Amino acid sequence: MILRKLLFGGAAVETPLANTGLLILRVYTGLILASQHGINKVPPSEKFVQGVSEIGFPIPELFAWAAGCAEFLGGILLAIGLFTRPAALIILITMATAVFGRHALDPFSDKELALSYGFIALNFILVGSGRYGIDNIIQPRRKIKENH
């Protein structure tokens, strides 16, 4: 039960408008991350593997694949709202690595995109997919009773 809640749960968002906002942000972010960033890294190019190596990862080919899959598969999972919280966690870790590893010495403008994806991922770690995601079909949220 706890594992199911961790995988498919999240904070209750009650209004249809708020859930529609989550849906739009989740689908847009996931599709752009997968189609504009992740797909270009699967399979990882030699240049990308070299960049991962320069960060200091011991098996750069493995970690390059992990980063590419995190962006591509994580983006797809985020877009459809399946395993939203774990996918968002993996995306957040990947973006943190980009910000504090690859772009550590770069100007803010080079970190901005990874930071944006990271903060959006953090949002979905906390909230989950919202009502309009596959996670909600697997683990329906209970309605919160309002005290009148």
Side-chain angles (χ1 to χ4, degrees), residues 15-111:
T15 67
L17 188 59
N19 279 290
T20 301
L22 284 176
L23 172 68
I24 292 166
L25 181 62
R26 186 171 45 74
V27 170
Y28 173 80
T29 302
L31 290 179
I32 295 300
L33 184 61
S35 69
Q36 300 303 306
H37 302 283
I39 199 161
N40 298 325
K41 294 177 181 129
V42 179
S45 68
E46 278 301 314
K47 182 179 178 184
F48 185 57
V49 172
Q50 180 63 35
V52 171
S53 177
E54 290 170 4
I55 297 172
F57 283 98
I59 310 168
E61 295 84 8
L62 175 67
F63 285 98
W65 270 100
C69 288
E71 292 181 16
F72 182 66
L73 296 175
I76 290 171
L77 289 172
L78 186 66
I80 65 174
L82 177 62
F83 297 116
T84 303
R85 295 175 81 196
L89 177 62
I90 292 166
I91 291 167
L92 177 61
I93 292 167
T94 304
M95 294 302 117
T97 303
V99 169
F100 298 111
R102 186 71 186 138
H103 298 292
L105 302 175
D106 294 345
F108 178 77
S109 60
D110 291 347
K111 300 174 188 184

Side-chain angles (χ1 to χ4, degrees), residues 119-133:
F119 277 104
I120 292 169
L122 178 60
N123 172 72
F124 286 107
I125 291 168
L126 298 173
V127 177
S129 69
R131 286 249 181 239
Y132 310 133

